[in-house]
Amino acid sequence: MTTIQTNLQRVLNELDGSNTRLVAVSKYHPAEAISQAYECGQRIFGESHVQELCAKHENLPADIEWHFIGHLQTNKVKYMAPFITLIHSVDSMRLLHEIDRQAMRCNRTIDCLLQVHVAKEETKFGFTPDELLQVLDEGEWKTMTHTRICGLMGMATNTDDTEQIRSEFHTLRQLFDTIHANHMPQPTFRELSMGMSHDYKIAMSEGSTLVRIGSSIFGDRTY
Ligand SMILES: *Cc1c(COP(=O)(O)O)cnc(C)c1O
């Protein structure tokens, strides 16, 4: 086994028996690294740059499920609309509209997660919990026919304070439950994307259904 395959197996062992699925975050790593994980059965890969995503999609097996996890500009949606499986990072209604429009042009429905800002950092994108509840109350999302809101995504503050991380994930979990109860009772609203290499075990204990793990599998990224 290669280092990537050993790392992947270790992470998969941690997820074994849970309800959490792995998004292997392959951004900045070459197609060859993805192929190694693919050979071990991994099929879900996460990317955060549109051009890189599209190039990899063209050159790698067709049964890979590509997830987009980075900040997405509306003018780039059209490039991934034909094939993307899940967009984790919807942070405005304007973006959701554009995804809906491009999905319609491709005759598909695109699954989306709404990104929520729970971290104590200025740099993270996403709706604040209050903004999100307001936007959902306004109900414009109900007019969209080619997108399906399947859950929420969030990032905790980049800190060693595990209690802070836990509390931020807990906030996200509670927001998910509130929205599921009040706005989106449908069973397809079921994904909570939270947890990265350094905090995914905490995220799992707070109810994460998707963890997005990069460096623990593929090693450090060189930008
Ligand atoms: C890069 C990235 C990850 C993976 O981070 P690691 O620390 O390498 O596991 C997860 N989520 C998002 C949104 C990212 O951009």
Side-chain angles (χ1 to χ4, degrees), residues 168-180:
E168 290 170 359
F169 286 149
H170 193 74
T171 300
L172 199 53
R173 169 85 226 180
Q174 285 182 317
L175 185 65
F176 175 92
D177 290 341
T178 301
I179 292 170
H180 197 29

Side-chain angles (χ1 to χ4, degrees), residues 9-18 200-201 204:
Q9 206 49 61
R10 199 189 53 237
V11 171
L12 289 174
N13 288 343
E14 294 283 347
L15 305 192
D16 196 31
S18 73
Y200 73 91
K201 290 178 196 169
M204 285 175 71

Side-chain angles (χ1 to χ4, degrees), residues 4-222:
I4 288 173
Q5 291 172 337
T6 310
N7 290 343
L8 172 64
Q9 206 49 61
R10 199 189 53 237
V11 171
L12 289 174
N13 288 343
E14 294 283 347
L15 305 192
D16 196 31
S18 73
N19 284 325
T20 314
R21 292 184 298 151
L22 171 65
V23 179
V25 176
S26 46
K27 64 185 183 193
Y28 296 101
H29 292 285
E32 163 57 22
I34 297 177
S35 296
Q36 290 180 27
Y38 181 91
E39 280 171 28
C40 283
Q42 180 63 24
R43 290 294 178 273
I44 306 178
F45 292 90
E47 291 282 336
S48 58
H49 297 277
V50 176
Q51 215 178 350
E52 186 180 347
L53 165 72
C54 292
K56 286 172 174 171
H57 166 256
E58 267 182 36
N59 291 306
L60 285 157
D63 65 344
I64 289 181
E65 274 190 28
W66 295 101
H67 288 201
F68 192 80
I69 63 171
H71 180 61
L72 179 55
Q73 290 169 290
T74 47
N75 62 349
K76 303 233 169 117
V77 173
K78 56 178 178 283
Y79 302 113
M80 69 174 79
F83 66 87
I84 198 76
T85 298
L86 181 64
I87 300 176
H88 290 230
S89 43
V90 176
D91 58 3
S92 71
M93 279 297 127
R94 187 165 157 262
L95 178 58
L96 189 63
H97 260 296
E98 177 61 10
I99 297 169
D100 199 61
R101 201 168 75 89
Q102 295 297 340
M104 182 166 1
R105 289 185 57 190
C106 299
N107 217 347
R108 333 180 36 219
T109 298
I110 297 181
D111 286 347
C112 295
L113 306 180
L114 300 173
Q115 183 172 354
V116 187
H117 179 113
V118 288
K120 307 252 170 324
E121 282 163 353
E122 284 298 318
T123 53
K124 303 257 153 75
F125 291 99
F127 298 94
T128 65
D130 285 345
E131 278 167 1
L132 183 57
L133 290 172
Q134 190 186 333
V135 153
L136 293 177
D137 283 341
E138 285 165 3
E140 188 190 341
W141 57 274
K142 291 178 193 162
T143 66
M144 293 189 218
T145 50
H146 290 72
T147 42
R148 194 162 64 164
I149 299 174
C150 295
L152 305 181
M153 181 272 241
M155 274 180 266
T157 304
N158 187 5
T159 173
D160 292 331
D161 182 346
T162 55
E163 281 320 301
Q164 183 179 347
I165 293 171
R166 179 178 301 284
S167 130
E168 290 170 359
F169 286 149
H170 193 74
T171 300
L172 199 53
R173 169 85 226 180
Q174 285 182 317
L175 185 65
F176 175 92
D177 290 341
T178 301
I179 292 170
H180 197 29
N182 297 332
H183 301 89
M184 308 225 175
Q186 58 274 27
T188 47
F189 187 82
R190 64 189 175 117
E191 303 291 1
L192 191 49
S193 169
M194 58 185 194
M196 305 169 38
S197 289
H198 69 285
D199 58 16
Y200 73 91
K201 290 178 196 169
I202 306 173
M204 285 175 71
S205 70
E206 293 297 332
S208 171
T209 67
L210 289 166
V211 287
R212 310 175 310 269
I213 300 181
S215 44
S216 288
I217 296 169
F218 296 108
D220 289 337
R221 292 177 283 271
T222 42

